[in-house]
Structures are given as C-alpha cells and as structure tokens.
Amino acid sequence: MDHFPVFLRVHGRRIVVSGGGEAALAKLRLLLKTTGHITVFAETAAPEIQKWEEEGKLTLNRRALAPGDTLCAALFYAADEDNAEDARTSAIARADGALVNIVDNLQDSQFITPAIVDRDPVTIAIGTEGAAPVLARAIKADLESRLPVSLGSLAKIGKSFRKAADALPFGRPRRDFWRAFYFETGPETIKQGEVAVRHGLDGLLADHLNRKARPGHVHFIGAGPGDPDLLTIKAQRALDEADVVIYDRLISQPILELARREAIMIDAGKEGFGPSTPQEDINALLVKHARTGAQVVRLKSGDATVFGRLDEEIDAVDAHHISWEIVPGITAASAAVAAIGQSLTKRGRNSSVRFLTGHNIAGFADHDWAALARPGEVAAIYMGKKSARFMQGRLIMHGADRHTPVTLVENASRPDQRIVETTLDALPAALSAAEMSGPALTFYGLSKRKAATAVTDLAPSLISHTPPAHAQEAL
C-alpha cells in the first residue's frame, strides 16, 4: 500500500484550509467533526463558511494564504480550485512543516482523506488509494446501513467503564466480557437509556468476575483451497476468536489475515518429500496451548478431513480431555473441478469418483490400479506431481488407455490459478514443461469443458457459461 492508514490526534491542533468554494466546503464539513482549531484563508468565502465563522466554529481570514500562515499546523488542505494557487499554497505549507493534501491531486498530496463512517467514538475509514472513490462511497453507504446509531453511545459508555473492567484478567476474560457487552447486554439495554446500560455493565462485570476460566478448545478448520471468499462463516468466527492459530504451509496469506492481530501464529508447514514439521510436534503444540485455556485453531488446507492426518491430532487432544470441533471446508477437488467446468460424477460416464493421494508416509501410494484403469473411471489425485510417472506406469501396466485425459489445476481458486491439459501418455512431459511450483490437483479421466476456456483466466474460482442470445431469449 502507498498510503498507510493511521488515526492522527488533532485535538487542540491547527488545521488550515486554503480556499472558500465547493472543494473547501466538502473538506470543512468533515473537519468540523473534529476537535481541532480550524483556520480558513479565502479572499471570497461561501456563505456556509461565513456562517461557521459567526458561530465560532472556525477562524476565517479574508485573504490569500501567505508564508507563515501554516506554522504549527498539523494538516493543510489546498482547496483553491486552481492548479497554480494550489501549488503555491501547498509549497508554503510544506515549508512550514504541515502535512499537505491537495484536493483532487493524489500525486502531489502527502496524505489522503478517506471516506468515513462516523459513530463517534467509533470511526471507520475507507480508502482506495484514490483508485475508486465511487467504490469507497458504496462501502461507506453499506456500513452506514448496517451499524446502528446507538453504537457510538455504547462505545462511549464502554470507554468510561474500562478501568472497572481491568479487574478481569488480561486477555480472553476481558475480551469475552467486552464481546458480551457490545453484542448482547449493550444492544438489549440501550433501548431503555444510558442508565440501564450502566446497570447492565455492573451486572455483567459481576457475572464475569465470578466465572471460572474458559477451558481450552481446538477448532480443526478446513481453510478451503485458498480463496478467502470460500471460507465458511463459522470458520471466520473461530479465526476471529482464536488465541493461537496453527496453520499448514498451503494456507493463503489472505486467510491468515483474518486472524486477530494479537493471536499467536504458528507455521506448522509440511511438504511432501521436503522439509516438514513432525506430526508429533504438531500434536504437542495443540495440547500445550489448549491446556493453558487458549482457543486454538488448527488450520488445514482444503477440508480438514481429507488427507490431513486429522485423526492423529484428534487422538492427541482426546488423550488430554480437551474439547474439539471440526469445521468443514471446501476440498481442493471441488474447487479444481469447478475451475475446469466439470462435475466429478456424470450419468452415463461415472457413478463414483476416487479421491487418491499420490504419496503417503511410506512414499508413493499404491492403489487399485486395475479398477482405475477401466474406461470411464475418474479420480481426483492429491499431492500427485512428484508421483506422476509412477502412477502413469502403474495405470498403463494395468491396461489404461494412453489417451485418457488428464487435467492438472495448480493453485485452484487463487488469482494465480493455472490449468494444464494433457493425456496419460504425455503426463510426465507436460508436468515437467509446466514447471508447477504451487499445490496442484490432478484429475484422471476429466478434461476441461470448452465453454470454461474463455472465462478461466478472468474468474479462476467461478466457471460460468453464457448461452447465445437466441437461447437466452428462450430461458
């Protein structure tokens, strides 16, 4: 990001605006919400600005900005609506040490003003780095409709109660208390007025002070193939509440970003035939953190129940009487088959599908090759890149047609998704030529649907086909 979002303290500090027209008015309507000392320089000022001066909300100087006028200013807005004058006034402000914003001039501005949702003291700033102000306004409108006006009042009351809440142990006990206030007790009692809210806070604090410490718990979460939009709502909630997140190598960064900033993040990556965290160490980490009372999320790529050694981890926490829950995710086969516009089963082609792994703890995995070699069989092969030549040999040895279609989907659902179409006979050569470095799912017996070809690069996680105009009219 080019613009790092911060909240600048402007209480009692100077904010200077040069200009008295529409551009200045737009900025002043927002700046007047602050507790800064606002000064405007304009030879001709709009009636609203003059009225604000009369009401004592700002200081108006009916002249052009001059050197020294921005000394000790925290912020300066050049809103002169004239490029030459904006350049002159902003140069003065920079020389005086103020941060400069030039209206409608992103390139020469030192900061930008975001779209703001105001529920004082709750403030939400929305920025697009100047790329899409219409989008920022749309997001603002959406948030405005979702956040009740009473949210600001609850935040103010909660702020005044923070010292009392410090009686609770730091960490999860306090978070649980504040979560209960803002999402349960507060909204229920605010309808009866602030006095009722304060009484509710007193009762809530007494209840939480007398509670036993929340026991540790482990969520085994399927994080899906990588697209954060494919993460379940339940998984998002668990991530938001987690004290500790233990994640696999294939978990995408956007999904890790959903965890709380204060959460302990532990990389327990594994790679077939490569560097790995021993399973025993992962089991020990789950037990260690859960026994301290932490809410632990074990993030597994795809679905946690598919080739994820889930049973070993459940056995480990069970042995220490730690509670757990499995949160399903979208497995890589589902995301990858969507990418090629196919279904895993099809009437008249195959009534079953095999989910296979290319390798296991002992090495290349063995399967019922004779059954798989029959015409019309379909298999989704996980972790099959390194074992491609081994599988090709076994299948051909058992009579598989060398022209059987094989499709590989790398980084399914992610922006860098890639699809390679080949045949069983050419599989090792195609894989070598593709030089795949990301996780790949191999489909044996499936080729990419032609209708999907035109849209794959545009929307890797969504395959759609628009029928021709005459067909649409009949729908």
Side-chain angles (χ1 to χ4, degrees), residues 35-81:
T35 54
H37 295 315
I38 301 170
T39 303
V40 177
F41 289 87
E43 293 179 345
T44 303
E48 293 97 324
I49 298 176
Q50 297 178 42
K51 181 182 177 184
W52 289 330
E53 180 199 26
E54 293 169 3
E55 294 172 348
K57 294 180 179 179
L58 54 78
T59 300
L60 173 60
N61 293 281
R62 291 172 172 79
R63 61 176 176 82
L65 188 82
D69 285 337
T70 52
L71 285 172
C72 300
L75 301 174
F76 172 77
Y77 286 88
D80 302 288
E81 301 180 45

Side-chain angles (χ1 to χ4, degrees), residues 57-346:
K57 294 180 179 179
L58 54 78
T59 300
L60 173 60
N61 293 281
R62 291 172 172 79
R63 61 176 176 82
L65 188 82
D69 285 337
T70 52
L71 285 172
C72 300
L75 301 174
F76 172 77
Y77 286 88
D80 302 288
E81 301 180 45
D82 177 272
N83 290 340
E85 184 63 6
D86 280 341
R88 186 188 74 82
T89 58
S90 62
I92 290 172
R94 282 195 179 92
D96 286 343
L99 284 174
V100 171
N101 173 272
I102 305 174
V103 177
D104 291 334
N105 184 340
L106 180 69
Q107 185 65 34
D108 295 327
S109 294
Q110 292 176 302
F111 73 95
I112 56 178
T113 303
I116 290 177
V117 178
D118 183 13
R119 294 291 186 270
D120 185 34
V122 178
T123 305
I124 301 171
I126 306 153
T128 63
E129 306 241 4
V134 172
L135 178 59
R137 285 195 291 272
I139 296 171
K140 169 182 161 66
D142 182 59
L143 290 174
E144 290 277 11
S145 67
R146 292 169 182 265
L147 300 177
V149 177
S150 61
L151 183 65
S153 298
L154 288 177
K156 287 177 182 175
I157 296 169
K159 183 179 180 181
S160 69
F161 202 79
R162 289 187 69 87
K163 285 189 178 180
D166 287 349
L168 290 165
F170 180 76
R172 175 156 293 279
R174 287 190 201 173
R175 289 201 305 275
D176 287 346
F177 167 78
W178 287 117
R179 185 180 295 275
F181 169 63
Y182 283 115
F183 299 106
E184 297 171 18
T185 304
E188 290 171 5
T189 55
I190 191 66
K191 302 168 188 175
Q192 303 162 36
E194 291 192 9
V195 174
V197 176
R198 295 183 186 278
H199 284 313
L201 266 173
D202 289 333
L204 186 65
L205 180 58
D207 175 56
H208 278 253
L209 284 170
N210 291 320
R211 285 187 182 184
K212 289 184 178 180
R214 186 173 171 185
H217 183 83
V218 178
H219 278 97
F220 295 100
I221 292 180
D227 182 352
D229 287 342
L230 297 180
L231 201 65
T232 66
I233 294 173
K234 192 169 189 177
Q236 290 181 44
R237 288 199 195 107
L239 265 175
D240 182 58
E241 294 187 15
D243 301 303
V244 179
V245 178
I246 302 173
Y247 60 94
D248 283 346
R249 178 180 64 90
L250 299 180
I251 304 298
S252 66
Q253 191 60 35
I255 288 177
L256 294 178
E257 292 287 344
L258 297 175
R260 290 187 312 108
R261 213 175 309 173
E262 298 83 6
I264 298 171
M265 308 295 289
I266 300 174
D267 182 353
K270 288 189 174 186
E271 184 174 357
F273 306 105
S276 297
T277 301
Q279 185 62 50
E280 295 75 15
D281 290 357
I282 297 174
N283 297 347
L285 283 169
L286 291 169
V287 171
K288 170 188 171 184
H289 289 285
R291 290 182 75 177
T292 66
Q295 302 302 297
V296 180
V297 160
R298 174 70 172 105
L299 267 184
K300 292 175 173 288
S301 181
D303 184 86
T305 66
V306 180
F307 302 127
R309 300 184 71 174
L310 175 65
D311 295 275
E312 297 169 58
E313 296 177 10
I314 290 177
D315 289 343
V317 297
D318 263 345
H320 291 83
H321 310 289
I322 296 166
S323 65
W324 52 269
E325 180 182 4
I326 299 171
V327 180
I330 293 178
T331 188
S334 296
V337 81
I340 64 172
Q342 293 284 10
S343 58
L344 289 170
T345 59
K346 181 181 180 181

Side-chain angles (χ1 to χ4, degrees), residues 276-437:
S276 297
T277 301
Q279 185 62 50
E280 295 75 15
D281 290 357
I282 297 174
N283 297 347
L285 283 169
L286 291 169
V287 171
K288 170 188 171 184
H289 289 285
R291 290 182 75 177
T292 66
Q295 302 302 297
V296 180
V297 160
R298 174 70 172 105
L299 267 184
K300 292 175 173 288
S301 181
D303 184 86
T305 66
V306 180
F307 302 127
R309 300 184 71 174
L310 175 65
D311 295 275
E312 297 169 58
E313 296 177 10
I314 290 177
D315 289 343
V317 297
D318 263 345
H320 291 83
H321 310 289
I322 296 166
S323 65
W324 52 269
E325 180 182 4
I326 299 171
V327 180
I330 293 178
T331 188
S334 296
V337 81
I340 64 172
Q342 293 284 10
S343 58
L344 289 170
T345 59
K346 181 181 180 181
R347 186 167 57 180
R349 183 191 68 197
N350 65 306
S351 58
S352 64
V353 60
R354 290 175 171 83
F355 283 15
L356 310 177
T357 178
H359 64 82
N360 54 29
I361 299 174
F364 295 143
D366 224 338
H367 300 289
D368 186 350
W369 303 112
L372 192 58
R374 295 184 305 225
E377 294 296 319
V378 172
I381 305 167
Y382 293 68
M383 300 170 285
K385 288 189 297 182
K386 290 185 172 66
S387 58
R389 188 174 293 279
F390 169 80
M391 291 188 294
Q392 178 203 47
R394 288 293 188 273
L395 284 164
I396 291 175
M397 183 189 305
H398 285 82
D401 185 343
R402 290 175 175 268
H403 300 294
T404 300
V406 177
T407 306
L408 299 103
V409 183
E410 180 187 30
N411 297 320
S413 86
R414 305 188 188 197
D416 55 351
Q417 173 182 287
R418 196 156 53 119
I419 297 172
V420 173
E421 296 181 87
T422 184
T423 62
L424 179 62
D425 190 46
L427 174 60
L431 194 53
S432 176
E435 297 182 342
M436 289 184 169
S437 58

